[in-house]
Amino acid sequence: MASSPWEEVLAVQNEGKHELSLQGSYVNTRIEASGLDPCIFKLTGLNLLKIAGTPIETISDDLENVKNLTSLMLENNKLKCLPDSLGKLTSLKFLDISGNRLETLPHTLSHLVNLQSLNANLNQLTSFPDVSNFKQLAYLYISKNKLTSLPEGICDPGLTLLSIIEAGDNEITTLPAEVSNLTHLIKLDVSSNKLSTLPYELSECPKLKELAIKGNNLKDRKLLKLAEHSTKALLNHLGTLLDKERAAAGGGGGKGKKDKKKKGRGNKSEKPEIERDVISVLQFEPDKGLVITAAAEVLAVRQYIVCAIMRNLDFGKSNNLYKRFIQLQTRLHENICEKRQKATIATHDLKLIKGPLLYTAAEPSKMELTPLNKAASTTAEALVKELRDEADALRKEKKRNTFSGIHKYLDLLKGKELYPCLKDLEDDVISFPPITNCEKTRINKLTQDILVEVTSSESLETCKKVMEETLMASLLLGIGSGDEGDAEKAEEAHAEAENEAEATGLAAAPVDTSRMRFPQKLTVEQVKVVDATGNLRVIYPSRVDLQNPAFDVVRNYE
């Protein structure tokens, strides 16, 4: 007699959800008793399926039925193989099969032409399918396997989006010279392999900023020393060796070679064609900096918090810049925060904050707050009940089984005896994650300094990742106040618009300078989080944070 579907599967079916996450001891007990629920593979509307930290060794061929999957997370199981039917999930964008016991991958993996991120770290792979079809691939993680070479097709010129390859701790003996075909490669990690040489052509990867080669037995020991100093120095050295090699072969001398060297990495006299975006980091000042204390009560509820301050913002650059910043937070919650399941972002007007702050947890009936866009205060208990009642009424009215808006996050508090909150010096709640922040510190178009708060029950690294993405997206949005050079360019743009209007006889249209691609700048100040005894938990951004090579970081301290 067939057993009934698992409660998690029924919840997806009955509530019209598009995500299913299975992990934890309760899931493991059922898998050990009777295997994975086959009804999972009848959930054709799923977009995300996560099965993590379980004892499963195989996945059914019926996986192909979940054809709308865009994210498949199978990390830290005991998988020994994957089904060929995996190749039929052609909508997949994110695939994580790390931390398993895989020795090979199905050749049909090459059919996943929409993959953007593939994580196969921590397996026992000795070979890898051809990746030349992955034209959308940006991130490839294959560290800690038994690979003797990079995957076939890795140097295909069509992989124009590939920016990160992590292949450390394998048994790779050589790198292909064609690696220079990867025009957007930013990071290449081949540390702890069996490399004896490096292709000089690595110096021709135009965007390569991080090359990790430590732990290889390179014949040219100078390469290892240079790598310890900087990737730039290493690539310059490889470029010099490449020039010499081509000159010796008779193909690189003369005027052409000189012209090329003028444009090389090491020529400081020539101004770069494109100035880069910059995040300027202000150091935490003990007497002035913002401190947040994480109380013991919150550790069992939602223990991780990371904060930073964005300073000198200017939402007046365009009429809709503030609106776009609010939309940005919504987009981040949907994407990198995985619909707030992984983390939640809150923003506060710094001038309305009285610090130091306390991150704690309180009984729902005793926790008073004034929710965002509300005039009256209420308790967290009453707010959650009100939102649940609204959700039930809305579902009945629309005859749907799904939550909408803020209502869909209510399940994140299910079963919690205490609710997390962030309080100011006056003991007022200014944030109630993951539901809402509060009216007291609400930002507006005139806000110049914003405290960004990221909380999670998953990990500190999750908070840091979300915070970095938030800062980078804010940087690119152009909310940082510009310098004189930016003002001059804006004036030039306005003048050009006026000249065009005069020539055509039409009125000059307003110029939205916030969208112009002259270099953007964002000033970020460190915020410190300590525990109840004053010991440091995290200060952000630290020296190890903001390592994204897509922008430059200037740290205004020694």
Side-chain angles (χ1 to χ4, degrees), residues 168-183:
D169 292 282
N170 277 287
E171 299 174 11
I172 297 172
T173 56
T174 59
L175 296 178
E178 293 78 13
V179 70
S180 60
N181 290 339
L182 300 176
T183 55

Side-chain angles (χ1 to χ4, degrees), residues 350-371:
L350 188 66
K351 76 174 185 294
L352 302 176
I353 289 177
K354 296 182 179 180
L357 304 180
L358 176 65
Y359 183 51
T360 186
E363 294 180 26
S365 60
K366 298 179 180 179
M367 191 173 121
E368 295 275 345
L369 70 152
T370 303

Side-chain angles (χ1 to χ4, degrees), residues 321-451:
L321 186 55
Y322 175 76
K323 179 180 178 181
R324 284 159 50 203
F325 178 67
I326 300 301
Q327 291 171 340
L328 167 64
Q329 294 177 65
T330 302
R331 190 164 64 250
L332 290 169
H333 274 139
E334 289 294 310
N335 298 328
I336 192 170
C337 294
E338 295 183 7
K339 301 184 186 298
R340 303 199 190 199
Q341 298 295 320
K342 290 174 71 77
T344 305
I345 306 164
T347 52
H348 309 272
D349 191 326
L350 188 66
K351 76 174 185 294
L352 302 176
I353 289 177
K354 296 182 179 180
L357 304 180
L358 176 65
Y359 183 51
T360 186
E363 294 180 26
S365 60
K366 298 179 180 179
M367 191 173 121
E368 295 275 345
L369 70 152
T370 303
L372 197 64
N373 300 319
K374 299 287 186 180
S377 65
T378 183
T379 65
E381 181 180 54
L383 174 63
V384 170
K385 183 180 184 304
E386 177 186 347
L387 292 172
R388 288 193 184 279
D389 290 344
E390 285 180 7
D392 290 338
L394 186 62
R395 285 185 294 183
K396 290 177 181 178
E397 178 186 346
K398 302 292 184 180
K399 296 182 179 180
R400 295 176 181 170
N401 291 321
T402 58
F403 287 119
S404 63
I406 198 172
H407 308 105
K408 56 189 172 185
Y409 311 127
L410 294 174
D411 281 347
L412 297 175
L413 296 173
K414 192 174 182 179
K416 303 289 186 184
E417 294 183 1
L418 301 176
Y419 287 171
C421 61
L422 187 63
K423 292 185 174 183
D424 66 8
L425 186 61
E426 297 178 333
D427 203 38
D428 288 334
V429 173
I430 63 172
S431 179
F432 172 23
I435 302 302
T436 183
N437 45 324
C438 298
E439 188 68 14
K440 182 174 183 178
T441 58
R442 177 183 179 180
I443 67 172
N444 58 64
K445 292 182 179 180
L446 300 178
T447 298
Q448 295 181 324
D449 303 309
I450 290 178
L451 172 67

